[in-house]
């Protein structure tokens, strides 16, 4: 597989390399994704063929599965950063876009679960943009 990307958690304890292509990139607005991302949506890349190699920190990886659903949250036990995981129902790899350090060629495929989006997640293109932290 030619395409490789590297990533890590915020504290750097968990590092990984993903080899292969991502087929889709979804911005999910469902309530579960809002809860586990703490923001308007999750941003996850999906692949049915990519392979992950954990370079360090496997002992720090924790996985939470919402009972009775396919919703999974994989994260670093030290810093809480979202990490990639394999879906148990089909083995596909799900990689949080923010966990990657390497540039990626794929752009978001779609906003999904829009009917569940937060009431404040509308018309954000008109919100003031600031390049750095506000003073």
């Amino acid at each position: 597989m030619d395409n490789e990307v590297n990533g890590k958690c915020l504290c750097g304890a968990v590092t990984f390399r993903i080899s292969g292509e991502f087929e889709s990139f979804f911005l999910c607005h469902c309530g579960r994704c809002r809860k586990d991302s703490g923001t308007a949506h999750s941003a996850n890349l999906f692949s049915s063929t990519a392979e992950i190699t954990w370079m360090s920190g496997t002992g720090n990886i924790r996985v939470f599965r919402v009972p009775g659903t396919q919703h999974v949250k994989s994260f670093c036990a030290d810093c809480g950063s979202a990490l990639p995981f394999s879906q148990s129902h089909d083995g596909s790899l799900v990689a949080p876009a923010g966990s990657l350090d390497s540039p990626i060629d794929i752009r978001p495929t779609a906003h999904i679960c829009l009917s569940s989006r937060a009431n404040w997640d509308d018309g954000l293109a008109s919100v003031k943009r600031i390049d750095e932290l506000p003073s």
Side-chain angles (χ1 to χ4, degrees):
M1 297 185 178
D2 325 85
N3 196 23
E4 285 191 346
V5 293
N6 295 305
K8 65 180 176 290
C9 64
L10 187 60
C11 71
V14 180
T15 60
F16 58 90
R17 175 176 298 126
I18 297 174
S19 302
E21 299 292 326
F22 293 112
E23 290 122 16
S24 54
F25 183 174
F26 294 124
L27 305 176
C28 183
H29 296 262
C30 80
R32 291 182 189 124
C33 283
R34 288 197 322 271
K35 289 281 185 201
D36 74 25
S37 71
T39 188
H41 57 76
S42 65
N44 289 312
L45 298 143
F46 293 79
S47 177
S48 61
T49 58
E51 296 176 5
I52 189 163
T53 303
W54 297 102
M55 309 303 284
S56 67
T58 56
N60 282 42
I61 300 170
R62 300 292 182 273
V63 178
F64 173 74
R65 297 179 193 282
V66 177
T69 74
Q70 293 179 13
H71 192 88
V72 176
K73 170 78 173 191
S74 178
F75 58 96
C76 173
D78 285 344
C79 66
S81 296
L83 295 169
F85 61 92
S86 291
Q87 289 279 24
S88 59
H89 68 282
D90 66 2
S92 63
L93 180 68
V94 179
S99 70
L100 303 179
D101 294 326
S102 304
I104 54 175
D105 294 332
I106 188 171
R107 299 274 301 150
T109 308
H111 286 271
I112 61 174
C113 299
L114 272 176
S115 62
S116 301
R117 74 183 176 278
N119 66 344
W120 48 265
D121 186 18
D122 243 350
L124 297 181
S126 64
V127 174
K128 181 177 176 179
R129 295 172 185 246
I130 304 170
D131 287 337
E132 297 175 13
L133 291 174
S135 53

